[in-house]
Amino acid sequence: MQVKTYLVTGGAGFIGSNYVKYVLSNFDDVQLIILDALTYAGNYGTIAQDVDNKRCLFIKGNICDQELVSKLFSTHPIEVVVNFAAESHVDRSIENPRLFLETNILGTQNLMDIARKSWATGKDEHGYPTYKPGVRYHQVSTDEVYGSLGAEGYFTETTPLDPRSPYSASKTSADLIVKAYCETYKFPATITRCSNNYGPYHFPEKLIPLIIKNILEGKKLPVYGKGENVRDWLYVEDHCKAIEKVIRKGRVGEVYNIGGHNEKKNIEIVKLTIDTIRHLMETEPAYRSVLKTNLSTVSYDLITYVQDRLGHDMRYAIDPTKMKNELDWTPETTFETGIVKTIRWYLENQQWVEDVTSGEYQNYYERMYSNR
Ligand code: NAD
Ligand code: TYD
């Protein structure tokens, strides 16, 4: 069996850590090098047990660091790069766009430049670079690059790019650089654009884990605007499976949309989360020890409508037909089962929540929500 070395950037974050766990437990033919800067969103504890495994090495560092990334390529036989590393939260991008442009755009360019130089074997008769067989760069992107939908329609891979937040503009720029490298250098890259993920290890600045955390603490649940914005939710492991399929079988130079056909209004998500926590507490009383208040507070009374996000995209919805037809991928987890699994995970992993929110989270929360 031929073992391939993957460089997984952002592997200590939400989706990256789920991907690391998925790949290590399902594929014997890969070994991983995780490169992660451990920003507020990255947590070594999330992957500590995976790193113990002889097939997985962790390096703390920045994807923009040319010297470090070059050294990784010269000291390890890296054949695949999976780039999860990014600043990922829209609200933070509204506060500090520059960091998003640096990490998301320049970090992507840095990884690709070093990979293409390290993988180059020569030139073809037209002067295009040639590469070692089997190498691949994979860019993890988002459906937010397509902008915002009205009540009807879906994003396909040919929908024009129309980003509207600093976050989505930075991800779009990165996608365009990847596409440009595919054309100019025949660089062997693929891109996936995924809808909103949910599941274990999701940082509690994002809607679902923030709502779960606040319910357990008896805090108000901040719903932006009227709560009618729609997101298309996908269980994170389904996303990880799709990425691995694209890396193994996807066509170089192609974009693949990944989505769950699971459209929900934000207010529906919030109500469903309240209902599910309440039901679990009522039927499995052991969970009540996690509540910092009493069960009667777990109700819709916690919902509070707050000032809307600036430039808030109305609706995202993915058409995943290409993934189904070309790579035989469809999501396996329904939202109804995925949300229960997710909530149970948070109820059983409160220490993780405390660990990841012990840093700058409190300041962030105050800044973001106190005057809203
Ligand atoms: P996350 O914020 O949870 O994790 C990001 C990780 O990247 C963290 O571990 C962080 O420490 C690391 N990181 C940040 N800047 C870095 C840098 N300069 N160098 C090295 N590491 C750095 O994000 P996530 O939700 O796991 O998202 C992962 C990827 O998937 C991102 O590219 C994001 O744009 C994309 N995506 C996310 C979603 C979603 O719903 N969360 C949906 C579609 C696409
Ligand atoms: P989020 O989880 O930040 O993901 P994204 O903005 O990338 O889709 O937000 C999901 C939706 O929930 C989005 O429409 C904004 C909304 N939202 C709230 O209503 N309240 C909150 O406190 C947060 C964080 C998000």
Side-chain angles (χ1 to χ4, degrees), residues 1-2 36 41 44 70 89-90 96 154 180 197 202 214 248 286 288 295 305 348 351:
M1 184 178 56
Q2 207 197 341
D36 196 298
Y44 180 73
S70 300
H89 193 37
V90 173
N96 180 10
Y154 296 93
N197 285 215
H202 205 181
N214 283 15
R248 285 169 188 256
R288 285 186 209 169
L295 190 53
Y305 293 93
E348 290 162 18
Q351 187 58 51

Side-chain angles (χ1 to χ4, degrees), residues 113-236:
D113 269 347
I114 293 165
R116 78 187 167 82
K117 285 173 191 153
S118 151
W119 292 341
T121 50
K123 284 186 180 167
D124 70 11
E125 70 271 27
H126 306 290
Y128 287 111
T130 53
Y131 301 96
K132 286 181 196 164
V135 293
R136 176 68 70 91
Y137 176 92
H138 184 70
Q139 179 73 3
V140 180
S141 185
T142 166
D143 60 356
E144 302 191 24
V145 300
Y146 298 119
S148 182
L149 289 166
E152 304 281 309
Y154 296 93
F155 297 133
T156 72
E157 289 78 1
T158 54
T159 300
L161 303 179
D162 183 24
R164 295 147 45 98
S165 74
Y167 163 69
S168 54
S170 70
K171 294 295 289 184
T172 308
S173 308
D175 283 13
L176 291 175
I177 309 269
V178 176
K179 293 288 271 179
Y181 277 40
C182 291
E183 292 298 327
T184 306
Y185 307 114
K186 299 280 178 242
F187 185 62
T190 39
I191 298 174
T192 45
R193 296 185 179 140
C194 189
S195 59
N196 287 61
N197 285 215
Y198 69 101
Y201 304 107
H202 205 181
F203 191 76
E205 65 187 350
K206 305 281 177 17
L207 180 68
I208 291 178
L210 183 136
I211 293 299
I212 297 173
K213 181 174 188 296
N214 283 15
I215 292 172
L216 299 180
E217 292 174 7
K219 280 193 188 158
K220 291 287 182 196
L221 310 179
V223 174
Y224 298 169
K226 295 185 177 147
E228 286 178 353
N229 302 64
V230 172
R231 297 292 182 262
D232 174 3
W233 295 94
L234 180 72
Y235 192 65
V236 62

Side-chain angles (χ1 to χ4, degrees), residues 95-106:
E95 274 192 314
N96 180 10
R98 189 184 178 103
L99 180 59
F100 283 68
L101 308 198
E102 283 166 0
T103 289
N104 299 359
I105 306 173
L106 296 178

